[in-house]
């Protein structure tokens, strides 16, 4: 199902719909406005993105989800889920400050 989101409230509702469909957690990206996710407890969490001057937003979602996947897979990181989402938001924000997709992604040394 496609759900249009125009606000953080809409995104919270969409995250809740994902949970009602059987997901343990619903997450909706909001571009420059960050991410909303709903935990198993039903709590909605908003994680903002750093404000940057966007040059090219192509690939920002890929930068977010790819970095979040890496952060979640790295069992040596003792950061909270919310902190990992915030780091992924920072990676996505950094990626829009340059032209291109893969070439705009920061390396782990740049973070």
């Amino acid at each position: 199902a496609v759900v249009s989101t125009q606000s953080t409230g809409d995104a919270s509702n969409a995250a809740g719909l994902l949970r009602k469909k059987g997901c343990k957690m619903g997450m909706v990206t909001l571009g420059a406005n960050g991410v909303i996710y709903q935990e198993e407890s039903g709590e909605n969490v908003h994680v903002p993105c750093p404000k940057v001057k966007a040059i090219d937003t192509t690939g920002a979602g890929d930068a977010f989800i790819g970095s979040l996947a890496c952060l979640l897979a790295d069992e040596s990181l003792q950061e909270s889920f919310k902190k990992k989402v915030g780091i992924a938001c920072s990676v996505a924000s950094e990626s829009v400050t340059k032209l291109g997709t893969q070439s705009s992604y920061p390396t782990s040394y740049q973070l």
Side-chain angles (χ1 to χ4, degrees):
V2 175
V3 178
S4 176
T5 58
Q6 301 299 320
S7 67
T8 56
D10 289 346
S12 293
N13 291 336
L17 286 173
L18 289 170
R19 290 203 52 251
K20 286 179 185 173
K21 294 282 187 182
C23 298
K24 289 185 177 183
M25 180 183 295
M27 181 178 285
V28 178
T29 58
L30 301 166
N33 293 319
V35 173
I36 293 273
Y37 65 89
Q38 189 176 91
E39 297 180 324
E40 285 185 78
S41 67
E43 177 186 357
N44 291 314
V45 179
H46 177 233
V47 181
C49 280
K51 300 299 178 203
V52 297
K53 181 175 167 65
I55 307 285
D56 182 359
T57 61
T58 306
D62 293 333
F64 172 79
I65 201 66
S67 59
L68 182 58
C70 287
L71 291 162
L72 293 174
D74 187 346
E75 295 177 0
S76 69
L77 292 176
Q78 299 300 310
E79 304 291 349
S80 69
F81 180 78
K82 183 177 181 179
K83 177 71 174 176
K84 290 178 181 182
V85 171
I87 294 168
C89 283
S90 294
V91 171
S93 291
E94 179 65 25
S95 78
V96 303
T97 64
K98 300 174 195 76
L99 285 174
T101 52
Q102 193 172 17
S103 61
S104 72
Y105 297 163
T107 66
S108 60
Y109 299 107
Q110 294 170 313
L111 297 174

